[in-house]
Amino acid sequence: MAGSYYVPEQSKLPIAATIASSVMMLGAGVWVVDSNAGNVYSNGSSLFAVGLLAVLAVMWFWFTTVIKEHQAGMNSAQLQKSYVWGMGWFIFSEVMFFAAFFGALFYIRNFSVPWLAGEGEKGVANMLWTGFENVWPLMQTPAQALADSTGIVTTDQVKGPDEIIPWTGLPLINTLLLLSSSVTVHFAHVGLKNGNDKAMSRWLAATVILGFVFVGFQAEEYVLAYTELGLTLQSGVYGATFFMLTGFHGLHVCIGAIMLGIMWIRHRRGHFKPHDHFGFEAASWYWHFVDVVWVGLFLFVYIL
């Protein structure tokens, strides 16, 4: 009916998603704490796995419901607009998420390290160890400096990184991959709007492949860091900031590639039309956001 507004039925999925994500994050926190304490076996990993599976299950049921409603023609223009605003606010929350980590990196590099080296009005020299200098990245930890000066080693996780990952290697390759994927997903969008199903399918498939190749190269980079460079999550503030920023970004690339993969399947099933394909648009917005974050990471984590 003209002017009708479809109101979705009440659902327990939002509260289920909240509980599942809370369990997952709690497990991740316990896992990291146990890892830093040197505990190889942690209940946190099991708790994280349970939470992750629960999140995926909730997403499956929730998205299936939304897709069925859309296919049944239940979405009015007003409800479609609410989807646009919802995705916009979701991406904004992700911007703030990464802004917190970039802000922490900025604060450490431009305030904390100089102050600890005795620079500026708030500078306090020799707080960490005698002769501490303002350099980045920090290749030595306070525990390592103490062990070097006294010969007393209190833990087996005191070393800073032996080397850092050069930006001219895998990071540069991954940058080219993600920038290319932004182009391919745009071509996919153009193909969809023009009613060219073959172009849409091919370019979108290329985007998904590029995304997972990126993840594969990042996994290779992590193996290199841990096995050859001595760069780990425990290797001081540089290791912590490096793996938190690149790790969470890698997770977002995985999520984005899965989203686009689902959009490819939906397109093959005829769910999208040239004038009605917000599901794909939302996933492409998210992908462009992931690409922009990586450019910032590449610049501030690997190069500067």
Side-chain angles (χ1 to χ4, degrees):
M1 293 177 58
S4 63
Y5 179 68
Y6 169 65
V7 179
E9 297 179 358
Q10 288 187 347
S11 172
K12 296 182 176 62
L13 290 173
I15 187 63
T18 302
I19 295 173
S21 58
S22 297
V23 171
M24 183 179 69
M25 295 309 298
L26 177 62
V30 173
W31 193 1
V32 170
V33 171
D34 287 346
S35 177
N36 287 334
N39 297 331
V40 178
Y41 301 101
S42 170
N43 292 328
S45 59
S46 300
L47 194 61
F48 173 80
V50 171
L52 177 60
L53 291 175
V55 168
L56 293 175
V58 171
M59 291 175 63
W60 171 268
F61 288 112
W62 201 338
F63 291 168
T64 298
T65 301
V66 172
I67 291 171
K68 288 180 178 179
E69 291 172 350
H70 178 263
Q71 293 301 106
M74 297 179 177
N75 295 345
S76 66
Q78 187 173 359
L79 189 58
Q80 291 276 31
K81 186 177 181 180
S82 73
Y83 288 155
V84 173
W85 276 101
M87 191 63 188
W89 281 114
F90 172 69
I91 292 178
F92 177 76
S93 72
E94 294 282 57
V95 170
M96 292 296 100
F97 177 84
F98 279 101
F101 287 106
F102 277 111
L105 178 64
F106 176 83
Y107 188 88
I108 291 168
R109 292 183 60 171
N110 293 278
F111 295 100
S112 296
V113 173
W115 289 342
L116 292 170
E119 300 177 12
E121 296 181 359
K122 297 183 180 181
V124 182
N126 301 324
M127 174 177 284
L128 291 181
W129 63 80
T130 303
F132 176 80
E133 297 179 354
N134 176 19
V135 294
W136 188 265
L138 294 177
M139 305 298 285
Q140 192 177 31
T141 65
Q144 184 179 0
L146 176 64
D148 292 344
S149 62
T150 63
I152 301 174
V153 180
T154 58
T155 175
D156 60 352
Q157 295 178 335
V158 298
K159 282 181 84 274
D162 298 322
E163 299 178 53
I164 62 173
I165 297 175
W167 67 268
T168 52
L170 289 172
L172 179 58
I173 294 174
N174 269 347
T175 300
L176 296 176
L177 288 173
L178 273 194
L179 291 179
S180 299
S181 73
S182 272
V183 176
T184 56
V185 78
H186 171 70
F187 285 162
H189 195 188
V190 172
L192 178 56
K193 289 193 293 185
N194 292 336
N196 190 336
D197 291 340
K198 289 184 178 180
M200 163 65 173
S201 294
R202 291 171 181 172
W203 287 115
L204 187 55
T207 305
V208 174
I209 292 171
L210 288 171
F212 283 116
V213 170
F214 173 95
V215 175
F217 278 135
Q218 188 169 51
E220 181 180 346
E221 180 181 273
Y222 278 13
V223 171
L224 173 69
Y226 265 78
T227 59
E228 298 184 22
L229 305 182
L231 177 59
T232 69
L233 188 62
Q234 292 80 30
S235 55
V237 67
Y238 176 72
T241 53
F242 174 84
F243 283 104
M244 291 298 286
L245 276 164
T246 60
F248 274 118
H249 179 266
L251 174 63
H252 283 70
V253 172
C254 283
I255 294 172
I258 292 171
M259 289 169 61
L260 290 175
I262 293 172
M263 296 306 120
W264 184 85
I265 295 172
R266 290 192 62 193
H267 170 68
R268 299 290 292 179
R269 293 183 176 181
H271 289 186
F272 298 136
K273 299 178 179 62
H275 63 279
D276 184 15
H277 52 262
F278 178 70
F280 169 75
E281 283 186 323
S284 66
W285 293 353
Y286 186 83
W287 192 253
H288 288 306
F289 158 74
V290 167
D291 291 347
V292 171
V293 171
W294 176 257
V295 172
L297 272 172
F298 182 62
L299 180 62
F300 293 108
V301 174
Y302 290 98
I303 296 180
L304 298 181

